[in-house]
């Protein structure tokens, strides 16, 4: 769908005697009762609404035209003759009612309080019930865009729409037919609209101006921030950090706006998505005076949220908490955060050495990539410091060979480690449209469950509704695998093999991804499809293979292959 730039309203055309009143009404309202909002005239609304200082007293009407002493009003309901008489008396005009669709009335209503000159995340309110209005994002965005008179307004409209719909990123991509606009909501991109081709370049240039980028340069990538001067008071309350980046591509430049809340979203460790048992174990690690906690997972797995929330949980007035990060994603209270700057010699290793000279209690090393950082971090964890760090591995067990590969002595690693958490983010079943269902054979097989183990009645799926954009999911939470380093695991790290470790974990009640997936799915928090989407297959099936093939050497070999 395309958004037009400027249109002459039906009323204006009528006044210019280019069309008749009947033709004007036909242009405004089609046979299904859908109103072409772009053709309405603001002036007609203003004149009509002036008679009603208290808008609550107004029945459900949309002013369409004012012609020869008569207001033509659209309404989705049939008005009583008393209501029509009262409207006629208040306006001193004749009143004619045209039936319009409820959807059109609501869409018109939302454009009434519209102030395009501000970025606002205030949810839309249903004029009929006073409840939050579940907007059709595409429809609302297109209506608002059609009312925007310049590029800055268009960008603010897109920002407001993104904020109202919990989007984390806005993608603007030049295509042959215009500028495609997509929002990332709960980790998934959604098409919102396409701005017409004549606007495509102009919008990108305006965005670059807003972000203090060099507009004469379009052949190299740039990054910037949407400056303070564009923030209204509402925005200051929102505390949004809007980071913009551009990338030269076929057909122009692609821009991505990342929306990061400035206020601290990392306060509640209970809400991360840990199970009761894993959270209890994890909390015991946080209470240790020394040792190393490793978080693993790919980019976008929510590691940073878990790290920051954990740091917030341990930072108090009695301890010195220092981080070295690349980059610092959020500024946290009560914590000294430093940023890696390779060119200036501030590497992870150099930063960590400097931190250790400043009497720290708790240290977070953003990532361990080299031997020196690994050794320094492990030694720090053995000498009275609680150390947090991350590694890129598929699962929790994978962190052990990875750390050994980087270099520190296995004896020191085994002594230093408190535990390893691997995590992913799964989307939650939308509670507004959730329905229970009976799992089929394939569902059970995916989790390696017997039918009797899955008799729980609370498997749920979202049917899809306006709140979740028909996806059936709303919001995300972590799904975690937690490896607690007990004495046996310590021994195996020191002188055993990964196969021995897996065998041991198969014997104890290891809090694997599979265990977590079963708990979340059987409790109706997420779905089998979602688990299969985010959890590596090896992590999900490794344990069931061991179980099926216990005592069979062949099974162990298969399992090791899967884990590599
Ligand atoms: Zn829903």
């Amino acid at each position: 769908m395309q958004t037009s730039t400027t249109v002459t309203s039906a009323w204006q055309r009528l006044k210019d005697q280019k069309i008749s009143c009947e033709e004007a009404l036909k242009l405004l309202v089609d046979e299904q009762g859908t109103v072409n909002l772009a053709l309405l005239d603001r002036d007609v609304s203003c004149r009509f609404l002036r008679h009603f200082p208290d808008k609550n007293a107004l029945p459900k009407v949309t002013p369409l035209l004012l012609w020869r002493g008569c207001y033509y009003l659209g309404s989705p309901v049939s008005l009583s003759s008393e209501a029509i008489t009262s409207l006629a008396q208040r306006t001193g005009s004749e009143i004619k009612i045209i039936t319009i669709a409820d959807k059109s009335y609501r869409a018109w209503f939302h454009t009434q309080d519209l102030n395009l000159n501000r970025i606002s995340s205030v949810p839309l309110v249903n004029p009929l019930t006073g409840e939050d209005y579940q907007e059709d994002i595409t429809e609302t965005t297109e209506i608002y865009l059609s009312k925007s008179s310049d590029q800055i307004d268009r960008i603010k409209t897109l920002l407001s729409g993104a904020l109202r719909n919990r989007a984390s990123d806005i993608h603007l991509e030049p295509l042959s037919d215009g500028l495609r606009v997509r929002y990332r909501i709960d980790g998934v991109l959604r098409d919102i609209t396409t701005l017409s081709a004549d606007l495509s370049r102009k919008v990108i240039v305006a965005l670059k101006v807003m972000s203090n980028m060099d507009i004469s340069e379009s052949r190299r990538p740039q990054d910037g921030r949407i400056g303070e001067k564009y923030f209204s008071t509402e925005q200051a309350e929102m505390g949004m950090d809007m980071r913009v980046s551009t990338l030269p591509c076929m057909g122009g430049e692609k821009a991505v706006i990342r929306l990061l809340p400035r206020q601290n979203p990392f306060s509640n460790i209970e809400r991360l998505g840990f199970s009761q048992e894993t959270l209890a174990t994890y909390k015991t690690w946080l209470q240790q005076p020394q040792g190393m906690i490793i978080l693993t997972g790919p980019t976008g797995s929510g590691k940073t949220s878990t790290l920051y929330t954990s740091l917030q949980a341990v930072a108090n007035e009695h301890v010195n908490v220092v981080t070295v990060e690349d980059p610092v994603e959020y500024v946290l209270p009560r914590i000294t955060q430093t940023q890696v700057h390779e060119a200036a010699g501030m590497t992870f290793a150099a930063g960590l050495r400097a931190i250790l000279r400043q009497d720290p209690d708790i240290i977070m090393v953003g990532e361990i990539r080299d031997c020196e950082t690994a050794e320094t971090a492990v030694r720090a964890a053995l000498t009275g410091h609680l150390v947090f760090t991350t590694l890129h591995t598929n699962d929790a067990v994978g962190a052990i060979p990875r750390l050994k590969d980087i270099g520190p002595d296995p004896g020191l690693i085994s002594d230093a480690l408190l535990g390893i958490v691997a995590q992913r983010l799964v989307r939650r079943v939308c509670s507004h449209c959730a329905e229970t269902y009976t799992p089929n054979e394939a569902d059970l097989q995916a989790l390696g469950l017997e039918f009797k183990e899955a008799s729980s009645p609370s498997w749920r799926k979202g049917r899809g509704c306006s709140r979740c954009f028909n996806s059936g999911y709303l919001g995300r939470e972590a799904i975690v695998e937690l490896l607690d380093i007990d004495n046996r695991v310590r021994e195996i790290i020191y002188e055993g093999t990964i196969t021995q470790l897996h065998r041991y974990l198969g014997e104890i009640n290891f809090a694997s991804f599979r265990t977590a997936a079963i708990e979340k799915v059987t409790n109706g928090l997420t779905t089998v499809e979602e688990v299969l989407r985010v959890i590596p297959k090896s992590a999900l099936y490794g344990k069931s293979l061991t179980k099926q093939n216990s005592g069979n050497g062949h099974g162990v070999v298969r399992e090791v292959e899967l884990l590599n």
Side-chain angles (χ1 to χ4, degrees):
M1 272 175 277
Q2 304 257 323
T3 307
S4 53
T5 31
T6 46
V7 280
T8 313
S9 76
W11 189 54
Q12 190 60 47
R13 286 186 230 176
L14 176 60
K15 285 196 300 180
D16 293 346
Q17 299 190 329
K18 294 210 170 95
I19 52 175
S20 69
C21 182
E22 202 177 314
E23 285 168 330
L25 286 171
K26 268 196 183 143
L27 282 177
L28 287 170
V29 185
D30 73 9
E31 283 173 5
Q32 281 76 44
T34 306
V35 179
N36 187 337
L37 295 165
L39 291 180
L40 284 179
D41 201 297
R42 228 184 154 85
D43 206 18
V44 176
S45 284
C46 291
R47 285 174 191 227
F48 176 79
L49 294 172
R50 221 176 280 149
H51 300 289
F52 301 91
D54 175 16
K55 283 190 196 150
N56 294 328
L58 204 59
K60 287 165 71 172
V61 291
T62 300
L64 301 171
L65 290 176
L66 172 57
W67 190 242
R68 298 191 173 148
C70 173
Y71 272 109
Y72 292 83
L73 305 175
S75 178
V77 294
S78 64
L79 297 177
S80 65
S81 54
E82 293 85 44
I84 295 174
T85 311
S86 144
L87 287 171
Q89 282 167 354
R90 288 286 280 273
T91 56
S93 311
E94 207 184 322
I95 298 291
K96 286 209 173 117
I97 303 291
I98 288 104
T99 306
I100 61 169
D102 199 41
K103 193 170 144 190
S104 287
Y105 171 72
R106 289 200 311 265
W108 167 80
F109 187 93
H110 293 307
T111 61
Q112 291 313 293
D113 296 323
L114 186 60
N115 179 356
L116 291 166
N117 202 21
R118 62 169 196 203
I119 303 165
S120 168
S121 65
V122 178
L124 301 177
V125 174
N126 185 327
L128 312 179
T129 61
E131 286 170 3
D132 279 2
Y133 169 57
Q134 290 319 307
E135 63 176 306
D136 174 328
I137 321 181
T138 295
E139 184 187 278
T140 325
T141 306
E142 285 177 355
I143 293 165
Y144 284 16
L145 284 171
S146 72
K147 304 274 171 193
S148 307
S149 54
D150 63 29
Q151 314 314 332
I152 303 269
D153 278 358
R154 290 196 176 91
I155 293 167
K156 286 178 179 171
T157 296
L158 295 176
L159 287 169
S160 301
L163 293 173
R164 278 199 311 276
N165 291 288
R166 303 177 297 108
S168 57
D169 307 79
I170 304 172
H171 290 230
L172 304 171
E173 298 153 89
L175 302 178
S176 56
D177 60 339
L179 190 69
R180 169 154 77 151
V181 179
R182 291 190 292 172
Y183 290 166
R184 188 181 291 281
I185 299 167
D186 289 339
V188 178
L189 280 169
R190 287 177 196 287
D191 261 328
I192 301 301
T193 187
T194 301
L195 290 162
S196 62
D198 60 314
L199 290 176
S200 185
R201 182 75 204 136
K202 292 178 193 158
V203 167
I204 295 287
V205 169
L207 181 63
K208 287 169 79 175
V209 171
M210 283 171 90
S211 329
N212 284 321
M213 290 184 194
D214 179 359
I215 53 166
S216 64
E217 177 60 81
S218 57
R219 286 164 304 177
R220 67 177 173 85
Q222 296 190 57
D223 60 285
R225 274 177 192 196
I226 293 186
E228 286 297 330
K229 61 183 167 175
Y230 289 101
F231 289 167
S232 59
T233 44
E234 293 91 344
Q235 206 43 41
E237 279 167 29
M238 272 299 294
M240 266 291 164
D241 196 3
M242 303 187 185
R243 299 184 195 169
V244 184
S245 60
T246 61
L247 181 68
C249 63
M250 297 308 291
E253 284 174 283
K254 172 174 173 167
V256 174
I257 309 171
R258 303 215 67 189
L259 304 168
L260 302 166
R262 246 189 240 142
Q263 77 252 69
N264 184 355
F266 310 110
S267 49
N268 197 338
I269 205 163
E270 317 282 335
R271 286 208 204 129
L272 287 172
F274 283 62
S275 68
Q276 261 181 4
E277 294 79 29
T278 49
L279 187 62
T281 311
Y282 187 68
K283 281 181 172 171
T284 64
W285 303 350
L286 297 184
Q287 285 156 6
Q288 299 304 308
Q290 68 171 48
M292 180 181 270
I293 297 171
I294 300 179
L295 291 162
T296 84
T299 308
S301 60
K303 281 183 310 219
T304 307
S305 296
T306 305
L307 261 183
Y308 282 179
T309 309
S310 308
L311 288 175
Q312 297 275 287
V314 292
N316 60 43
E317 58 180 311
H318 307 297
V319 290
N320 177 16
V321 186
V322 193
T323 73
V324 51
E325 302 171 63
D326 185 21
V328 172
E329 288 183 49
Y330 293 90
V331 177
L332 301 170
R334 304 190 304 273
I335 291 173
T336 309
Q337 291 169 279
T338 68
Q339 170 130 8
V340 164
H341 192 316
E342 303 266 349
M346 177 72 171
T347 57
F348 274 117
L352 184 54
R353 280 197 309 272
I355 289 169
L356 285 166
R357 287 192 290 270
Q358 289 215 324
D359 182 31
D361 299 290
I362 296 157
I363 305 167
M364 191 268 267
V365 184
E367 198 184 328
I368 290 187
R369 297 178 198 151
D370 61 284
C371 182
E372 191 191 350
T373 312
E375 279 188 347
T376 316
V378 167
R379 281 181 196 282
L382 288 168
T383 53
H385 309 96
L386 188 60
V387 179
F388 292 86
T389 191
T390 72
L391 285 171
H392 280 272
T393 61
N394 261 345
D395 54 21
V397 169
I400 293 169
R402 174 66 52 85
L403 193 55
K404 281 180 167 177
D405 278 350
I406 295 175
D409 181 75
L412 297 182
I413 296 176
S414 67
D415 283 346
L417 268 184
L418 288 171
I420 302 164
V421 174
Q423 74 170 73
R424 297 290 188 281
L425 291 174
V426 286
R427 290 181 291 168
R428 289 193 197 107
V429 170
C430 171
S431 57
H432 304 286
C433 61
E435 290 175 336
T436 57
Y437 75 102
T438 311
N440 60 26
E441 194 57 38
D443 293 330
L444 296 173
Q445 232 170 31
L447 298 177
L449 283 177
E450 301 287 328
F451 189 75
K452 60 180 187 305
E453 292 175 283
S455 55
S456 154
S458 32
W459 290 52
R460 294 196 308 166
K461 250 183 202 167
R463 190 177 60 249
C465 66
S466 59
R467 292 193 193 223
C468 58
F469 316 110
N470 288 318
S471 66
Y473 298 101
L474 189 67
R476 287 190 294 175
E477 65 179 41
I479 178 164
V480 303
E481 174 169 88
L482 184 134
L483 177 58
D484 188 31
I485 310 293
D486 63 18
N487 285 334
R488 178 71 189 125
V489 176
R490 224 173 278 284
E491 270 173 43
I492 298 173
I493 294 175
Y494 184 50
E495 53 184 8
T497 64
I498 286 295
T499 313
Q500 282 175 315
L501 181 55
H502 278 292
R503 199 173 296 149
Y504 173 65
L505 294 178
E507 289 160 15
I508 64 167
N509 202 10
F510 169 49
S512 64
F513 271 135
R514 181 174 167 262
T515 317
I518 291 171
E519 179 171 326
K520 283 196 198 292
V521 171
T522 55
N523 285 317
L525 286 169
T526 191
T527 63
V528 171
E529 291 81 8
E530 187 61 6
V531 164
L532 294 177
R533 187 177 73 87
V534 302
I535 304 286
K537 284 205 169 54
S538 57
L540 215 48
Y541 296 119
K543 195 179 167 192
S544 56
L545 278 174
T546 325
K547 205 163 88 182
Q548 284 160 16
N549 298 300
S550 53
N552 171 344
H554 182 61
V556 173
V557 173
R558 277 181 63 196
E559 181 205 348
V560 172
E561 277 165 4
L562 280 166
L563 280 156
N564 282 336

